Amino acid sequence: MAKYIFVTGGVTSSLGKGIIAASLAKLLQARGLRVTIQKFDPYINVDPGTLNPYEHGECYVTDDGAETDLDLGHYERFLNIATSQANNVTTGRIYQTVINKEREGAYLGKTVQVVPHITDEIKRRMLLLGEGGRYDIVITEIGGTVGDIESLPFIEAVRQLQWELPEEDCLVVHLTLIPYLRAAKELKTKPTQHSVKLLSQEGVHPDIIVCRTEKPLSYELRRKIALFCNVKTEAVIEAADAPTIYEVPLAMMREKLDLICLKKLQVNQYHEPELGKWKEFLDKLKYPKSSVQIGLIGKYVELQDAYKSILEAFVHAGAMNECKVNVVNIHSEHLTQSNAHEKLGHLDGLLVAPGFGQRGIEGKITAIQYARETGLPFFGICLGMQMAVIEFARHVLGLPNAHSTEMDPQTQDPVIDMMEEQKKITEMGGTMRLGAYPCAIRPESLAHRIYGASLISERHRHRWEFNSQYTEAFEKAGMVLSGHNPESGLVEIVELPGHPFFIGVQYHPELKSTVEAPAPIFVHFVGAAKAFSESKGGSRSHAGIKKSELI
Ligand code: GLN
């Protein structure tokens, strides 16, 4: 039987509940327990797949093809274990299940209500991962802030579970903010008191209070919070701002968050935390020996959360290379032929990001042309790979109108086209090519050197593909199609052998990068950027590649 830890948040959003939950999970895992984390989101969308990245940041995709909240990315990056559809549940999905059951007549003529029917379905899903003996501990993060109307059924479900489960099988951690008033030179506990009061009014009593704070919490302050919020003083945990999210597990260990949880849950079988690999990574991260500038070309660059997994993959890959990766955000809409050198000339590598739709497309193509012609290391992900194909078709194959049918359905040369089975689909949610697919890698290719394997598995999220009618033309002109889906033959990787590092992938390698297993393609890309940076001073253009009018 698994034990359950619930993590709620108060005072304000964006306190980093996901990071605290992931850090606690990491510590428990490091002590030898089998842990998983799940996230319950109070919005009505059935999943975040249809949400604009400006609304909710990146959509994270799991192996089984679920489109999920970006916090699942943190869970995987910290724990190094895969999550699935079951790890992310929204209000929309709960209601969809209950309404479908109602239509099937499953409620036998009863009035279907929030309590008990919605809360029963929430509880069923909260307990699901804990069944079957796979995990010792299931951590559940409740999205939103206590007091929100929409999170009420989730808090009510936690209340019922706190009452139904044996005392030692259930624990609630409440994350709050202790603001520092500069004028008064004081940390203020009142918002935390109010937040705990709200939670108590909803029937849930927290066992542990984690306090986000800019300044250290004194013993007196901890006592005060403990007294007013009715928890033990040692259960008031300081979560000070950290220079990197990867420091947080160690900060939580110093505060004994894991031990307090284990005591309350009456878990006696655990060992000292094994965090050797984690600490090694942190050391490399904190003391890099070199640095590179990598341009991230995208259209959501104002919002960092839109590219969360890519940015984190650079952190992992940078540490592996003992190199600080400075990501320079470049808005694809602002890039033109005439300013390409000014905007890209100082970079050591160029990453063209995933994306959807027309906006900023030409800027991405211009950036890729610049990288191809000057020998600047290039890495294209999903839409970035598709744009590399279009750029090559236009400027090397001499097909000036080449395009993707996503942006130009009438194009003369649809080098990127929609898959046949995708053409029949009219619904938006969950209908892309999603989740993990195998990819067979051509021997002696750059991809083979990167992965050191002939068969890999990576995650996908797209509708369009390389159009196989153009295979011969591309290969003849020097673009190597070095990765294919072994069953369907779909092209997964393209590369240019004459270039120091030029690779585009149809899949999303950033989604599988973790602290303990960084994505190999990011590691090699950063390595190539490092080599490029070291070679600077000499000519940046690469022999055998046509010089552009851009430089
Ligand atoms: N819009 C492109 C497609 O659907 C690329 C998607 C992506 O970059 N994730 O194929």
Side-chain angles (χ1 to χ4, degrees):
M1 171 80 185
K3 307 214 173 222
Y4 296 88
I5 299 178
F6 296 95
V7 181
T8 59
V11 182
T12 160
S13 58
S14 304
L15 288 182
K17 261 193 314 252
I19 302 295
I20 295 292
S23 299
L24 174 57
K26 181 79 223 166
L27 292 177
L28 297 174
Q29 184 192 53
R31 287 187 178 278
L33 295 156
R34 297 167 307 154
V35 190
T36 189
I37 323 185
Q38 54 185 349
K39 169 119 194 239
F40 281 61
D41 275 311
Y43 50 76
I44 314 275
N45 305 64
V46 172
D47 62 44
T50 52
L51 284 171
N52 182 324
Y54 285 120
E55 290 281 321
H56 209 66
E58 162 193 274
C59 173
Y60 188 78
V61 180
T62 56
D63 275 336
D64 64 348
E67 295 179 290
T68 70
D69 186 82
L70 55 78
D71 271 339
L72 268 75
H74 290 309
Y75 306 164
E76 289 203 9
R77 287 186 281 273
F78 276 53
L79 295 184
N80 201 31
I81 55 170
T83 55
S84 71
Q85 178 73 72
N87 297 71
N88 191 199
V89 178
T90 68
T91 294
R93 195 170 290 281
I94 299 281
Y95 271 79
Q96 193 183 46
T97 311
V98 172
I99 291 169
N100 286 345
K101 271 170 81 179
E102 186 273 335
R103 293 289 83 185
E104 288 162 12
Y107 296 108
L108 306 171
K110 285 254 183 298
T111 310
V112 181
Q113 293 176 301
V114 173
V115 183
H117 302 100
I118 294 295
T119 47
D120 277 355
E121 178 58 17
I122 295 174
K123 284 192 294 180
R124 187 183 71 80
R125 289 185 184 254
M126 281 175 169
L127 299 179
L128 208 59
L129 286 174
E131 289 160 8
R134 275 191 303 153
Y135 299 107
D136 302 311
I137 293 180
V138 178
I139 300 182
T140 303
E141 178 192 347
I142 311 286
T145 309
V146 167
D148 293 349
I149 291 177
E150 53 186 18
S151 59
L152 269 175
F154 294 102
I155 302 292
E156 168 61 14
V158 174
R159 183 194 72 78
Q160 293 180 20
L161 286 177
Q162 237 183 355
W163 181 76
E164 285 166 16
L165 292 173
E167 175 97 23
E168 67 279 9
D169 284 355
C170 176
L171 172 101
V172 177
V173 177
H174 188 56
L175 176 66
T176 72
L177 175 72
I178 308 286
Y180 178 71
L181 285 195
R182 207 147 295 161
K185 293 198 178 61
E186 253 186 318
L187 286 168
K188 290 294 183 189
T189 64
K190 194 72 83 191
T192 294
Q193 294 178 39
H194 281 297
S195 168
V196 172
K197 199 164 150 191
L198 255 178
L199 192 59
S200 305
Q201 275 165 4
E202 292 173 13
V204 173
H205 183 70
D207 300 282
I208 297 172
I209 298 175
V210 177
C211 305
R212 279 300 305 275
T213 169
E214 283 174 52
K215 306 265 173 197
L217 291 185
S218 63
Y219 178 74
E220 288 69 35
L221 215 68
R222 289 179 197 238
R223 253 188 81 84
K224 183 174 170 188
I225 296 168
L227 176 69
F228 282 108
C229 301
N230 204 15
V231 298
K232 298 258 162 45
T233 309
E234 67 265 22
V236 177
I237 303 285
E238 170 189 302
D241 294 349
T244 137
I245 54 170
Y246 300 106
E247 292 261 9
V248 180
L250 300 183
M252 291 302 102
M253 188 169 75
R254 285 191 293 274
E255 288 285 309
K256 302 194 170 55
L257 175 62
D258 50 341
L259 291 176
I260 297 164
C261 289
L262 291 170
K263 190 169 150 198
K264 159 78 183 31
L265 295 174
Q266 294 181 17
V267 176
N268 306 316
Q269 285 203 319
Y270 55 84
H271 50 67
E272 283 301 301
E274 279 169 14
L275 287 164
K277 263 191 152 176
W278 190 272
K279 287 182 181 160
E280 206 179 295
F281 157 80
L282 263 182
D283 264 357
K284 287 187 181 161
L285 185 67
K286 284 206 283 206
Y287 307 107
K289 298 195 173 114
S290 59
S291 73
V292 290
Q293 309 265 46
I294 293 195
L296 171 67
I297 319 277
K299 65 172 177 178
Y300 304 114
V301 288
E302 311 85 342
L303 184 79
Q304 288 298 291
D305 272 1
Y307 302 115
K308 193 82 207 158
S309 293
I310 291 178
L311 297 176
E312 297 305 330
F314 274 129
V315 175
H316 311 152
M320 276 296 264
N321 281 284
E322 296 184 71
C323 172
K324 166 112 180 71
V325 179
N326 296 307
V327 177
V328 185
N329 294 312
I330 299 172
H331 208 301
S332 48
E333 277 185 300
H334 303 156
L335 252 182
T336 59
Q337 294 267 339
S338 50
N339 70 13
H341 185 63
E342 174 205 330
K343 293 218 183 260
L344 310 174
H346 62 292
L347 299 175
D348 305 311
L350 183 81
L351 183 135
V352 177
F356 294 82
Q358 175 69 39
R359 196 161 64 87
I361 286 302
E362 294 303 323
K364 288 186 174 175
I365 294 175
T366 301
I368 296 168
Q369 182 181 8
Y370 181 88
R372 181 177 57 77
E373 294 182 345
T374 61
L376 177 65
F378 163 76
F379 178 20
I381 300 182
C382 207
L383 185 70
M385 171 266 198
Q386 297 175 354
M387 293 303 117
V389 167
I390 294 168
E391 192 282 320
F392 194 79
R394 287 187 187 175
H395 304 124
V396 179
L397 297 186
L399 305 171
N401 300 315
H403 219 319
S404 161
T405 51
E406 178 179 6
M407 290 86 198
D408 180 2
Q410 309 307 333
T411 176
Q412 273 173 14
D413 285 298
V415 288
I416 302 292
D417 199 7
M418 206 187 248
M419 288 177 288
E420 278 309 313
E421 56 268 35
Q422 284 288 341
K423 289 183 185 160
K424 299 172 216 138
I425 295 169
T426 51
E427 274 203 14
M428 291 301 273
T431 54
M432 281 187 256
R433 185 179 179 216
L434 286 166
Y437 285 92
C439 169
I441 296 182
R442 186 183 287 195
E444 286 165 39
S445 59
L446 171 61
H448 201 278
R449 284 200 295 285
I450 290 172
Y451 283 97
S454 308
L455 191 68
I456 57 164
S457 169
E458 293 277 13
R459 298 180 192 171
H460 293 246
R461 183 173 189 251
H462 59 108
R463 290 201 167 84
W464 276 265
E465 302 283 348
F466 179 88
N467 183 344
S468 59
Q469 284 175 4
Y470 290 85
T471 301
E472 222 188 294
F474 272 80
E475 293 259 7
K476 254 195 195 147
M479 182 170 264
V480 173
L481 312 178
S482 57
H484 288 87
N485 179 291
E487 286 125 46
S488 61
L490 290 170
V491 173
E492 308 284 29
I493 312 177
V494 301
E495 56 185 75
L496 286 180
H499 193 283
F501 190 97
F502 189 104
I503 194 160
V505 296
Q506 186 56 82
Y507 50 81
H508 290 265
E510 72 278 18
L511 299 176
K512 279 179 56 169
S513 189
T514 71
V515 166
E516 278 157 42
I521 197 159
F522 275 86
V523 176
H524 281 255
F525 177 49
V526 172
K530 228 168 91 176
F532 186 82
S533 158
E534 280 157 15
S535 75
K536 259 191 217 165
S539 166
R540 279 185 140 217
S541 63
H542 186 73
I545 290 169
K546 201 182 101 218
K547 273 226 174 187
S548 159
E549 61 278 13
L550 296 174
I551 35 175

